Each structure stands twice: as C-alpha cells, then as structure tokens.
Amino acid sequence: MGHKTTNTGRATFATRLGAVAAAVGSAVGFGNIWRFPYITGQDGGGAFLIIYVLAVLFLGIPLMIAEFSIGRTAHRNVVGAYRKIAPGTPWWTVGALGLAVAMLILGFYVVISGWTLCYTWRALTNDFSATVSAMQMADASLDAAGALTADFGNFVSSPIAPLAWTILAIIINAGILLGGVQKGIERASSVLMPVLGILLLILVGNSLRLNGFADGMRFLFVPDFSKVDGHVLIDAIGQAFFSLSVAMGIMVAYGSYLDDSTKLGKTASQVAIMDTLIAILAGVVIFPACFSFGIAPGQGSGLVFVTLPAVFLQMPGGYIIGVLFFFLITLAGITSCMSIFEVPISFLQEELNMSRKGAVAASCVFALVLGIACSLSLGLWNGFQIAGDCLFDFLDHVTSLYMMPICALLTAIMVGWALKKNFLEHAISNGGKDSAWFVTPLVWILRIFAPVAILVIFLSGIGLI
Ligand code: PHE
C-alpha cells in the first residue's frame, strides 16, 4: 500500500532523511535568515554567537528532544499527545497552549511570507531600482536606503497589495498541505531544502568576492564581550527557541510522524546543527555585503527588506544575487509556515474527526482572517491597539514574551518532574534498543537548568527583573 504508517494506521514520514528535511525545513525560517543576522548585528557579533550556540546546545536541543519524545510516544496531535502521555491530569492544557501559540504565530507568519513573495517578484522585475529612481525624482535628498525604508513602510501599511501576497502564500501552503504528511510536507521539504542549501552556497560564494568579506567575518566571528549583558543572554535564548521551532507544538506534531526506531537525540542534534549552520551562513552572506557598501549591520529589523535591497542595487551582479536571496528567504518561509499549519490541521483531524481536506481548509480560512487583520493593523486599522501594540506586534509579543516561555517551562517541568524518568529513557532508547547515555544530564537540564533559565528570560522579558 505504498504508504508507511504506524500500526494504528496513522501517517509517518517515509524516510529518515525526509523526516530530518521536514524538521530542518520548519526550523530554518525567517528566524535564521532575517532575525539571527540582525540580532547578532545588534548584540555584538561573535560574542552573541558563542552564547547562542550554548543556548542551542543546553536548552534548545533538550527541549526539542522532550517535544519529539512526547509526539513520538503518543503518535497524536499536540493536544492529544500531552493528554495521552499524562492521562487524567491537566497537562493537556500545555498542549492546548502550544496549539494556541501556533495559531497566533500563523497570523503574522503568513503575512511575512506574503512580503517575501512580493519582494522576490520585485527583485525579479527589477522594481527596487525603478522605485528608488521614482522616489528620488520626487525628493532629490533621499538616498537609496532612505527611499527603500519609506517604500517598505508604504507597502506594509497599504490595504490591498500585502493581502494579495498573503493570500498567495496561503494558497501555496494549502497546495502542499493537502498532499498530507508524506506526499505533501515530506516531499516538498525534500525538494525545497536542498534548493535552499544550494542557493545559500551560491550566495556565500558571492560573499567571498566582496571587499568587505574580511570585515564581515571579523564582525561575525571575533567576539566582543564588552557588548554582553543580561539582555544579550535573553536574546540568545529567545532566538534559540524561536529558531528551533520549539515551544509551539511544532516539534510535537512532527515528532508524532517519526517512526518508532528513529533516534530522537540524533535527529534533534542534526536539526539543531543544520539550523545553526544555516543561520551562520546567512550571516556570512549578509555582513560582508553590508560592510562592502558601508552600511551598518546593526540596523535592526529593516535588515532584510530595506538594507539588503539597497546593498543589491550597488553590488555588481546585484540583480541576480537579489533574486536568489529573496527566493531563498521565500523557501525558508514556506517550509516553516507549513509546519505551523500542521499543528492545527492535525488537531482538527484527530480531535474533531475532520477530513484532511476539511482541516486544511479550516486552518487556511483561519490564517486568512487573522492574516488580513494583522496586515491591516499595520495601516488602515492601526488605531486599534491592544496593550499599546497593533495586532501584528501584539501577536508577536504575546507569543514570544509570554506564551512560548510558559509552554517551554511547563513542558520541561512535565517531562523532567511529572513523568517518570523512564518516559524519556524509553523514548530516547527506542524501548531499550539504542543507547541513552545522555538521559541523566538531559533529565537534570529539564528539571533545573531549563526552568530556571526560562523563568529568568520570562521575568526579564516582561520587565520584572
Ligand atoms: N523556526 C522558524 C524560524 O526560524 C520559524 C518558526 C517560528 C516556525 C515560529 C514556526 C513557528 O523562522
């Protein structure tokens, strides 16, 4: 029957490589190509990098293993999985929280996906240079970066164009997701991730020829510890969670599609290594480009949509490099977006007995409605504020400052304290078949280190320490 399933008939990924491609596809997203470089830029380059790698090793990987263990042991959607692992207890609410995080993130992630599609199109049609010339005609004092900043602001706050691109992003996701776990997610990831890798290597090759290469490398790799303070630590931990897609139900959902002989520790480490490598390579692409054209790398969130188009305009061969770059970030966005979608889709299929088609349709309609509201909140509906933020920023803040730390904290406590130690040992060793030498340090990380670290970021994120 062609399809590999568990003995309950539930879908699993067909191959190890496909499973890793899907999980790496989820992990590698705007977090790697946009957020990691700009936070590294703000937080001291190499010094941030060292702390980030430690956060991935000692917090990110342990939490990913915990989430894989929950998903793979239960073979259920995120809510069903927490319930099945700890039956008759309120721990299922942590699964529900993960589901809620995924649904809220979906609202702004589809909008950013739409922006990347639009910018790929604009790069293809050479629209950045046309825009800059037109804007400079109107105001001769504008430089390229100034023109592109104003242009980006106009684009995201306009009522129609970003919505059209958001809808296209949702349609692309729906097309893949309708194919299911193996023929949709796994197949798409297995094709798109190698393409992403090749694009990235071409861009790294281009970076080598830039005269700012050495400065860029120095910035990224030579640590400047004078910039390190509590806030840099917090950024590093927050970025590690976001980038590895933990604390939002995704790795529980993808873990539930792993077969019973997959080594969870090895898989989580492979995903984390690839994710970190790709983030670093994105830095290798971006920083030399900034230094070559005298643009400060610590520009913040405008780095990808404003700074880089300005850099590409000046770079020899910048047209093709720009097209490849925006295509790269679009691919990264699609494979991440589909993993967020899979959280509510698997929930609807299993808990509400919907068909795959119905679940995909319902999730897309939800993403569309929330996406429209998010997009309009940057323009037309900007007057409508929640806790001082427009809806777009509110969803970003409420998920990353409150909901994700709480979800991560409770997951660590549940696996570390509430479940028996042999839950983790059984999951990691595949029922005793494989070695689980790291289970003791892992349990202690989940019991003590992770909760303390997460509590500290949580309290400081909300301004209490
Ligand atoms: N981990 C992905 C990234 O680095 C993004 C992601 C965030 C995916 C939130 C799902 C949910 O961008």
Side-chain angles (χ1 to χ4, degrees), residues 173-247:
N173 270 284
I176 297 172
L177 288 159
L178 276 176
V181 174
Q182 287 182 12
K183 295 205 168 142
I185 295 176
E186 182 172 354
R187 190 182 282 174
S189 307
S190 304
V191 174
L192 298 181
M193 292 319 286
V195 175
L196 181 144
I198 292 169
L199 288 176
L200 192 59
L201 291 179
I202 296 175
L203 292 168
V204 168
N206 174 65
S207 227
L208 293 174
R209 74 183 172 99
L210 298 176
N211 55 22
F213 182 72
D215 284 338
M217 290 300 95
R218 215 168 291 127
F219 178 77
L220 183 58
F221 292 112
V222 179
D224 170 6
F225 285 103
S226 68
K227 291 240 178 83
V228 176
D229 55 14
H231 138 98
V232 170
L233 288 176
I234 288 155
D235 275 359
I237 298 172
Q239 171 64 15
F241 286 167
F242 185 84
S243 187
L244 294 175
S245 303
V246 295

Side-chain angles (χ1 to χ4, degrees), residues 26-32 105 109 242-245 248 250 336 339-340:
S26 169
V28 173
F30 307 136
N32 302 62
I105 287 182
Y109 219 84
F242 185 84
S243 187
L244 294 175
S245 303
M248 51 196 109
I250 291 174
S336 290
S339 72
I340 317 177

Side-chain angles (χ1 to χ4, degrees), residues 411-423:
T411 300
I413 293 176
M414 171 176 132
V415 175
W417 295 100
L419 300 177
K420 295 198 188 70
K421 181 176 169 194
N422 77 11
F423 165 79

Side-chain angles (χ1 to χ4, degrees), residues 345-396:
I345 290 173
S346 56
F347 171 80
L348 292 174
Q349 279 185 274
E350 292 175 357
E351 302 296 318
L352 301 185
N353 284 324
M354 287 173 94
S355 64
R356 177 95 193 163
K357 249 193 209 148
V360 170
S363 304
C364 287
V365 169
F366 174 83
L368 180 64
V369 171
L370 195 59
I372 290 176
C374 273
S375 185
L376 290 177
S377 81
L378 297 175
L380 220 52
W381 293 353
N382 199 256
F384 174 71
Q385 304 249 321
I386 314 165
D389 278 330
C390 69
L391 182 67
F392 190 106
D393 295 337
F394 173 74
L395 292 183
D396 180 6

Side-chain angles (χ1 to χ4, degrees), residues 405 409 449-461 465:
L409 179 71
F449 180 62
V452 171
I454 296 165
L455 209 61
V456 171
I457 38 169
F458 177 59
L459 293 177
S460 87
I465 51 174

